[in-house]
DNA sequence: TCGATTTCGGAAACCGATTAACAAATGCGC
DNA sequence: GCGCATTTGTTAATCGGTTTCCGAAATCGA
């Protein structure tokens, strides 16, 4: 025998309307005596209302969806923590999906979210489903884009100031006397964050009087595990390089490995500044200088913003929040050279 | 105007029965001409059936839930990857929740799962809601417990052989000539994995002829950040210690920090073997010897098992799968002493 | 040609909640 | 004791699908 609202009503000798009201904290229509009797029965039966029925009727589920690109990168687990906390504080549940940077999976998950009638979604977009995003935005489906910019898409954004972070990283290297600084980046042209970091690198160097010819930008394959060997080859061809700006925390690990394997010393021969502070940054050899981003805050704000926009009667104008990075100086960027 | 099955039916000039059949791939009752017309309309309207309504009627949602204890530990993101892949391959969606090792949150999430009528759950239990687990099992709610053992709970388990891993770790230290080996562990008595690892340590030492007095087991606070100073005090009081078996990857980072801060050299003065291989293990200074656990496999098997049990007409007998760890030798455990 | 199948498709009940509209009971002033 | 407002609770429609049962038309066999 399934435990439904009808059963509760029957046992308590009232109609399901009354039970429903009490379940939803609406006590205006029932006297205390009745209320307590119903509450008692609910307790005894350990009744759990069917969220599907509730959602079907009321057309909202109190569930948010998030699709992100890589759960294995600790940056995202921190963001997730922020999203989770906001959801918990504001009474929402969360459905988490992993696009693995693949447009097809992203599309599938978003459609799944819609079919399940999730109240809204947070997305770190692959930036490859422009048509879908636009349709979503046009249909007023509550949505917040995080971390990456999707140009021309008029929805809420919570993003990071990547130019600033990159500039800080490069300036730190320059400050420590490095003269031939390279920037290493994964070769995915859709990821605006990486692009912006390279732009920041470019700007910082040119701003300090370097000519465009002195720019050393190396693009590495994201897949296939060829990154390390490519790095070694590149460093072999450019022995003048004495500083590296790494635009991604996973990439940084590969760079360190490559440099060590070449017998070069860190930070004496080559100084490194990496993007994204992680649990391991301070434990590496040498401890890593990094750009720290407020991931938790980004997640929290995004969820908060999304929920606000869900609850709003009239949809608010899309807003963009830009969060500022911070430089954490450790040994890997080298000391000031005399 | 909302796009429902009725609208599709109307536009196609058929009844919703027919549309429903076609949506579910049941073409036996419709001729090709009608089928194609309906398909056409579905396409044009970009119709997405309401999963809530579907779930309400058919009483299954094709969603699995997982509640785990700490998403920030990379061990769990790997497990999650396995679960996700299995879900994707077998046509399920996943709802991920984070108990943060708190019984109350675990309870809340499980109840949420039930209300949402998820088809089954995977759980890394806090082991503090025994009554709830038992009730769940008794109610035949499909469930698979991972990583930790809940004694007396007769449900599917996919767990790791922790005794074996701990034994391997300690033997490696002994093999490398360490004579005074300590085991460091977080002080949560509910986590069976940590307990088993300490048991393994105990057994390995006693098996090699050590007396119980020679056991050095230090329990550290999980919360509060006092671990590092406690470690330093302990090592100060026990200068004879020349090997440490760390039962947790996060703890390992703190141990390394403490040891370095005391001016001791790794691995010369103190050798370390840590539990759980992670992305950073090989990049630490010195590179860390670890026990690697097949997390992906655990996740995949758990989800697979769960789905099998959901689909089974007659519920299969609870089964326990035990997965074996592997030792990865790097410099931190020291070389063989002459 | 006629009854029996087979093919194709619809009507309506149902899943388990919410909620508008309505009705009975009670209280209260006079 | 009467009229009216307030309190307390019910009936029934509804959300958007699935599925059982049934009926009409087409096909078939003899």
């Amino acid at each position: 025998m399934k435990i439904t609202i009808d059963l509760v009503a029957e046992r308590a000798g009232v109609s399901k309307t009354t039970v429903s009201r009490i379940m939803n904290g609406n006590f205006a229509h029932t006297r205390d005596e009745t209320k307590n009797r119903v509450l008692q029965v609910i307790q005894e039966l350990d009744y759990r209302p069917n969220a599907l029925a509730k959602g079907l009727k009321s057309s909202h589920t109190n569930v948010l969806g998030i699709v992100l690109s890589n759960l294995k990168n600790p940056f995202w687990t921190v963001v997730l923590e922020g999203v989770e906390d906001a959801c918990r504080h504001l009474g929402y549940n969360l459905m988490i999906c992993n696009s693995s940077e693949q447009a097809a999976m992203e599309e599938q998950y978003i459609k799944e979210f819609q079919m399940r009638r999730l109240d809204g979604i947070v997305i770190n977009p692959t930036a490859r489903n422009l048509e879908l995003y636009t349709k979503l935005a046009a249909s007023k489906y509550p949505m917040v884009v995080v971390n990456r910019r999707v140009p021309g898409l008029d929805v809420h954004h919570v993003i990071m100031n990547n130019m600033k972070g990159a500039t800080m990283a490069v300036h730190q290297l320059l400050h420590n006397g490095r003269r031939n600084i390279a920037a290493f980046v994964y070769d995915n042209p859709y990821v605006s964050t990486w692009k912006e970091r390279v732009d920041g690198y470019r700007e910082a160097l040119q701003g300090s009087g370097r000519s465009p010819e002195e720019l050393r930008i190396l693009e590495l394959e994201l897949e296939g595990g060829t990154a390390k060997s490519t790095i070694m080859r590149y460093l072999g061809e450019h022995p003048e390089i004495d500083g590296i700006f790494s635009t991604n925390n996973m990439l940084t690990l590969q760079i360190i490995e490559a440099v060590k394997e070449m017998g070069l010393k860190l930070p004496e021969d080559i100084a490194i500044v990496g993007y994204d502070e992680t649990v391991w940054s301070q434990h590496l050899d040498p401890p890593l200088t990094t750009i720290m981003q407020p991931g938790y805050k980004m997640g929290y704000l995004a969820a908060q913003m999304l929920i606000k926009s869900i609850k709003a009667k009239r949809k608010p104008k899309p807003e963009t929040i830009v969060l500022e990075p911070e430089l954490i100086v450790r040994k890997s960027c080298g000391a000031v050279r005399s």
Side-chain angles (χ1 to χ4, degrees), chain A residues 203-224:
Chain A
E203 189 176 281
L205 277 195
Q206 297 190 348
S208 75
R210 302 295 200 283
S211 68
E213 297 80 54
E214 290 184 64
L215 261 29
R216 296 174 187 81
I217 298 167
L218 176 61
E219 297 197 343
L220 284 320
E221 277 187 10
L222 183 51
E223 313 286 344

PDB file of all heavy atoms in Angstrom, chain A residues 203-224:
ATOM      1  N   GLU A 203      49.033  42.021 -23.360  1.00  0.00           N
ATOM      2  CA  GLU A 203      48.931  43.419 -22.965  1.00  0.00           C
ATOM      3  C   GLU A 203      50.006  43.809 -21.962  1.00  0.00           C
ATOM      4  O   GLU A 203      50.619  44.870 -22.061  1.00  0.00           O
ATOM      5  CB  GLU A 203      47.550  43.685 -22.377  1.00  0.00           C
ATOM      6  CG  GLU A 203      47.293  45.155 -22.156  1.00  0.00           C
ATOM      7  CD  GLU A 203      45.869  45.398 -21.663  1.00  0.00           C
ATOM      8  OE1 GLU A 203      44.971  45.374 -22.521  1.00  0.00           O
ATOM      9  OE2 GLU A 203      45.672  45.579 -20.449  1.00  0.00           O
ATOM     10  N   ALA A 204      50.226  42.903 -21.000  1.00  0.00           N
ATOM     11  CA  ALA A 204      51.211  43.211 -19.970  1.00  0.00           C
ATOM     12  C   ALA A 204      52.596  43.378 -20.581  1.00  0.00           C
ATOM     13  O   ALA A 204      53.342  44.302 -20.246  1.00  0.00           O
ATOM     14  CB  ALA A 204      51.229  42.113 -18.913  1.00  0.00           C
ATOM     15  N   LEU A 205      52.927  42.494 -21.506  1.00  0.00           N
ATOM     16  CA  LEU A 205      54.261  42.566 -22.110  1.00  0.00           C
ATOM     17  C   LEU A 205      54.397  43.799 -23.004  1.00  0.00           C
ATOM     18  O   LEU A 205      55.384  44.534 -22.936  1.00  0.00           O
ATOM     19  CB  LEU A 205      54.537  41.307 -22.926  1.00  0.00           C
ATOM     20  CG  LEU A 205      55.041  40.104 -22.129  1.00  0.00           C
ATOM     21  CD1 LEU A 205      55.627  39.064 -23.059  1.00  0.00           C
ATOM     22  CD2 LEU A 205      56.084  40.518 -21.093  1.00  0.00           C
ATOM     23  N   GLN A 206      53.380  44.010 -23.809  1.00  0.00           N
ATOM     24  CA  GLN A 206      53.466  45.162 -24.716  1.00  0.00           C
ATOM     25  C   GLN A 206      53.403  46.453 -23.917  1.00  0.00           C
ATOM     26  O   GLN A 206      54.042  47.446 -24.267  1.00  0.00           O
ATOM     27  CB  GLN A 206      52.363  45.088 -25.763  1.00  0.00           C
ATOM     28  CG  GLN A 206      52.545  43.840 -26.637  1.00  0.00           C
ATOM     29  CD  GLN A 206      51.640  43.802 -27.852  1.00  0.00           C
ATOM     30  OE1 GLN A 206      50.695  44.580 -27.969  1.00  0.00           O
ATOM     31  NE2 GLN A 206      51.943  42.891 -28.767  1.00  0.00           N
ATOM     32  N   GLY A 207      52.651  46.440 -22.837  1.00  0.00           N
ATOM     33  CA  GLY A 207      52.573  47.619 -21.983  1.00  0.00           C
ATOM     34  C   GLY A 207      53.919  47.949 -21.360  1.00  0.00           C
ATOM     35  O   GLY A 207      54.205  49.091 -21.020  1.00  0.00           O
ATOM     36  N   SER A 208      54.772  46.939 -21.221  1.00  0.00           N
ATOM     37  CA  SER A 208      56.092  47.199 -20.650  1.00  0.00           C
ATOM     38  C   SER A 208      57.124  47.364 -21.752  1.00  0.00           C
ATOM     39  O   SER A 208      58.323  47.159 -21.537  1.00  0.00           O
ATOM     40  CB  SER A 208      56.484  46.058 -19.704  1.00  0.00           C
ATOM     41  OG  SER A 208      56.866  44.924 -20.449  1.00  0.00           O
ATOM     42  N   GLY A 209      56.646  47.674 -22.934  1.00  0.00           N
ATOM     43  CA  GLY A 209      57.560  48.048 -24.010  1.00  0.00           C
ATOM     44  C   GLY A 209      58.065  46.930 -24.894  1.00  0.00           C
ATOM     45  O   GLY A 209      58.933  47.125 -25.736  1.00  0.00           O
ATOM     46  N   ARG A 210      57.522  45.732 -24.723  1.00  0.00           N
ATOM     47  CA  ARG A 210      57.971  44.641 -25.597  1.00  0.00           C
ATOM     48  C   ARG A 210      57.321  44.779 -26.974  1.00  0.00           C
ATOM     49  O   ARG A 210      56.167  45.214 -27.093  1.00  0.00           O
ATOM     50  CB  ARG A 210      57.575  43.286 -25.025  1.00  0.00           C
ATOM     51  CG  ARG A 210      58.117  43.007 -23.647  1.00  0.00           C
ATOM     52  CD  ARG A 210      59.645  42.920 -23.676  1.00  0.00           C
ATOM     53  NE  ARG A 210      60.192  42.216 -22.537  1.00  0.00           N
ATOM     54  CZ  ARG A 210      60.299  42.732 -21.335  1.00  0.00           C
ATOM     55  NH1 ARG A 210      59.874  43.957 -21.093  1.00  0.00           N
ATOM     56  NH2 ARG A 210      60.862  42.041 -20.365  1.00  0.00           N
ATOM     57  N   SER A 211      58.014  44.340 -27.968  1.00  0.00           N
ATOM     58  CA  SER A 211      57.421  44.339 -29.307  1.00  0.00           C
ATOM     59  C   SER A 211      56.664  43.028 -29.510  1.00  0.00           C
ATOM     60  O   SER A 211      56.930  42.052 -28.815  1.00  0.00           O
ATOM     61  CB  SER A 211      58.535  44.447 -30.353  1.00  0.00           C
ATOM     62  OG  SER A 211      59.304  43.261 -30.346  1.00  0.00           O
ATOM     63  N   PRO A 212      55.737  43.032 -30.446  1.00  0.00           N
ATOM     64  CA  PRO A 212      54.938  41.822 -30.689  1.00  0.00           C
ATOM     65  C   PRO A 212      55.804  40.601 -30.992  1.00  0.00           C
ATOM     66  O   PRO A 212      55.411  39.478 -30.724  1.00  0.00           O
ATOM     67  CB  PRO A 212      54.091  42.202 -31.892  1.00  0.00           C
ATOM     68  CG  PRO A 212      53.986  43.671 -31.846  1.00  0.00           C
ATOM     69  CD  PRO A 212      55.296  44.154 -31.283  1.00  0.00           C
ATOM     70  N   GLU A 213      56.983  40.841 -31.542  1.00  0.00           N
ATOM     71  CA  GLU A 213      57.828  39.694 -31.890  1.00  0.00           C
ATOM     72  C   GLU A 213      58.326  38.969 -30.655  1.00  0.00           C
ATOM     73  O   GLU A 213      58.761  37.834 -30.708  1.00  0.00           O
ATOM     74  CB  GLU A 213      59.049  40.134 -32.712  1.00  0.00           C
ATOM     75  CG  GLU A 213      58.721  40.743 -34.052  1.00  0.00           C
ATOM     76  CD  GLU A 213      58.295  42.182 -33.924  1.00  0.00           C
ATOM     77  OE1 GLU A 213      59.059  42.958 -33.312  1.00  0.00           O
ATOM     78  OE2 GLU A 213      57.186  42.530 -34.393  1.00  0.00           O
ATOM     79  N   GLU A 214      58.318  39.670 -29.536  1.00  0.00           N
ATOM     80  CA  GLU A 214      58.850  39.044 -28.328  1.00  0.00           C
ATOM     81  C   GLU A 214      57.817  38.188 -27.604  1.00  0.00           C
ATOM     82  O   GLU A 214      58.094  37.646 -26.545  1.00  0.00           O
ATOM     83  CB  GLU A 214      59.384  40.111 -27.376  1.00  0.00           C
ATOM     84  CG  GLU A 214      60.641  40.779 -27.889  1.00  0.00           C
ATOM     85  CD  GLU A 214      61.199  41.769 -26.866  1.00  0.00           C
ATOM     86  OE1 GLU A 214      61.591  41.326 -25.776  1.00  0.00           O
ATOM     87  OE2 GLU A 214      61.203  42.977 -27.163  1.00  0.00           O
ATOM     88  N   LEU A 215      56.611  38.152 -28.166  1.00  0.00           N
ATOM     89  CA  LEU A 215      55.582  37.319 -27.554  1.00  0.00           C
ATOM     90  C   LEU A 215      55.861  35.847 -27.818  1.00  0.00           C
ATOM     91  O   LEU A 215      56.134  35.457 -28.943  1.00  0.00           O
ATOM     92  CB  LEU A 215      54.217  37.696 -28.151  1.00  0.00           C
ATOM     93  CG  LEU A 215      53.314  38.636 -27.370  1.00  0.00           C
ATOM     94  CD1 LEU A 215      54.094  39.601 -26.488  1.00  0.00           C
ATOM     95  CD2 LEU A 215      52.390  39.379 -28.302  1.00  0.00           C
ATOM     96  N   ARG A 216      55.800  35.063 -26.760  1.00  0.00           N
ATOM     97  CA  ARG A 216      56.016  33.621 -26.927  1.00  0.00           C
ATOM     98  C   ARG A 216      54.796  32.878 -26.403  1.00  0.00           C
ATOM     99  O   ARG A 216      54.654  32.668 -25.198  1.00  0.00           O
ATOM    100  CB  ARG A 216      57.251  33.183 -26.151  1.00  0.00           C
ATOM    101  CG  ARG A 216      58.534  33.805 -26.661  1.00  0.00           C
ATOM    102  CD  ARG A 216      59.687  33.448 -25.774  1.00  0.00           C
ATOM    103  NE  ARG A 216      60.874  34.176 -26.168  1.00  0.00           N
ATOM    104  CZ  ARG A 216      61.111  35.432 -25.821  1.00  0.00           C
ATOM    105  NH1 ARG A 216      60.250  36.092 -25.060  1.00  0.00           N
ATOM    106  NH2 ARG A 216      62.217  36.027 -26.225  1.00  0.00           N
ATOM    107  N   ILE A 217      53.926  32.537 -27.334  1.00  0.00           N
ATOM    108  CA  ILE A 217      52.686  31.868 -26.933  1.00  0.00           C
ATOM    109  C   ILE A 217      52.656  30.459 -27.484  1.00  0.00           C
ATOM    110  O   ILE A 217      52.771  30.250 -28.695  1.00  0.00           O
ATOM    111  CB  ILE A 217      51.468  32.659 -27.464  1.00  0.00           C
ATOM    112  CG1 ILE A 217      51.466  34.057 -26.834  1.00  0.00           C
ATOM    113  CG2 ILE A 217      50.177  31.926 -27.131  1.00  0.00           C
ATOM    114  CD1 ILE A 217      50.523  35.033 -27.497  1.00  0.00           C
ATOM    115  N   LEU A 218      52.550  29.512 -26.583  1.00  0.00           N
ATOM    116  CA  LEU A 218      52.530  28.120 -27.028  1.00  0.00           C
ATOM    117  C   LEU A 218      51.160  27.496 -26.761  1.00  0.00           C
ATOM    118  O   LEU A 218      50.667  27.523 -25.634  1.00  0.00           O
ATOM    119  CB  LEU A 218      53.603  27.316 -26.293  1.00  0.00           C
ATOM    120  CG  LEU A 218      53.617  25.817 -26.606  1.00  0.00           C
ATOM    121  CD1 LEU A 218      53.884  25.559 -28.078  1.00  0.00           C
ATOM    122  CD2 LEU A 218      54.630  25.095 -25.729  1.00  0.00           C
ATOM    123  N   GLU A 219      50.568  26.952 -27.807  1.00  0.00           N
ATOM    124  CA  GLU A 219      49.288  26.278 -27.642  1.00  0.00           C
ATOM    125  C   GLU A 219      49.484  24.782 -27.536  1.00  0.00           C
ATOM    126  O   GLU A 219      50.146  24.169 -28.376  1.00  0.00           O
ATOM    127  CB  GLU A 219      48.371  26.599 -28.832  1.00  0.00           C
ATOM    128  CG  GLU A 219      48.037  28.069 -28.922  1.00  0.00           C
ATOM    129  CD  GLU A 219      46.830  28.313 -29.811  1.00  0.00           C
ATOM    130  OE1 GLU A 219      46.466  27.407 -30.582  1.00  0.00           O
ATOM    131  OE2 GLU A 219      46.250  29.412 -29.723  1.00  0.00           O
ATOM    132  N   LEU A 220      48.879  24.213 -26.500  1.00  0.00           N
ATOM    133  CA  LEU A 220      49.046  22.786 -26.264  1.00  0.00           C
ATOM    134  C   LEU A 220      47.736  22.041 -26.497  1.00  0.00           C
ATOM    135  O   LEU A 220      46.664  22.556 -26.207  1.00  0.00           O
ATOM    136  CB  LEU A 220      49.460  22.539 -24.810  1.00  0.00           C
ATOM    137  CG  LEU A 220      50.901  22.814 -24.362  1.00  0.00           C
ATOM    138  CD1 LEU A 220      51.900  22.382 -25.405  1.00  0.00           C
ATOM    139  CD2 LEU A 220      51.104  24.234 -23.940  1.00  0.00           C
ATOM    140  N   GLU A 221      47.880  20.810 -26.967  1.00  0.00           N
ATOM    141  CA  GLU A 221      46.678  19.986 -27.128  1.00  0.00           C
ATOM    142  C   GLU A 221      46.078  19.632 -25.785  1.00  0.00           C
ATOM    143  O   GLU A 221      46.761  19.194 -24.868  1.00  0.00           O
ATOM    144  CB  GLU A 221      47.029  18.695 -27.863  1.00  0.00           C
ATOM    145  CG  GLU A 221      47.059  18.861 -29.356  1.00  0.00           C
ATOM    146  CD  GLU A 221      47.237  17.513 -30.046  1.00  0.00           C
ATOM    147  OE1 GLU A 221      47.135  16.488 -29.354  1.00  0.00           O
ATOM    148  OE2 GLU A 221      47.495  17.511 -31.261  1.00  0.00           O
ATOM    149  N   LEU A 222      44.750  19.798 -25.702  1.00  0.00           N
ATOM    150  CA  LEU A 222      44.068  19.465 -24.460  1.00  0.00           C
ATOM    151  C   LEU A 222      44.004  17.956 -24.283  1.00  0.00           C
ATOM    152  O   LEU A 222      44.217  17.417 -23.202  1.00  0.00           O
ATOM    153  CB  LEU A 222      42.656  20.063 -24.497  1.00  0.00           C
ATOM    154  CG  LEU A 222      41.776  19.898 -23.270  1.00  0.00           C
ATOM    155  CD1 LEU A 222      42.491  20.345 -22.019  1.00  0.00           C
ATOM    156  CD2 LEU A 222      40.500  20.693 -23.459  1.00  0.00           C
ATOM    157  N   GLU A 223      43.749  17.269 -25.355  1.00  0.00           N
ATOM    158  CA  GLU A 223      43.621  15.812 -25.300  1.00  0.00           C
ATOM    159  C   GLU A 223      44.890  15.161 -25.847  1.00  0.00           C
ATOM    160  O   GLU A 223      45.704  15.801 -26.483  1.00  0.00           O
ATOM    161  CB  GLU A 223      42.437  15.364 -26.180  1.00  0.00           C
ATOM    162  CG  GLU A 223      41.166  16.137 -25.987  1.00  0.00           C
ATOM    163  CD  GLU A 223      40.467  15.771 -24.690  1.00  0.00           C
ATOM    164  OE1 GLU A 223      40.819  14.726 -24.112  1.00  0.00           O
ATOM    165  OE2 GLU A 223      39.581  16.532 -24.258  1.00  0.00           O
ATOM    166  N   GLY A 224      45.017  13.891 -25.584  1.00  0.00           N
ATOM    167  CA  GLY A 224      46.032  13.116 -26.256  1.00  0.00           C
ATOM    168  C   GLY A 224      47.365  12.998 -25.545  1.00  0.00           C
ATOM    169  O   GLY A 224      48.215  12.206 -25.920  1.00  0.00           O
TER     170      GLY A 224
END
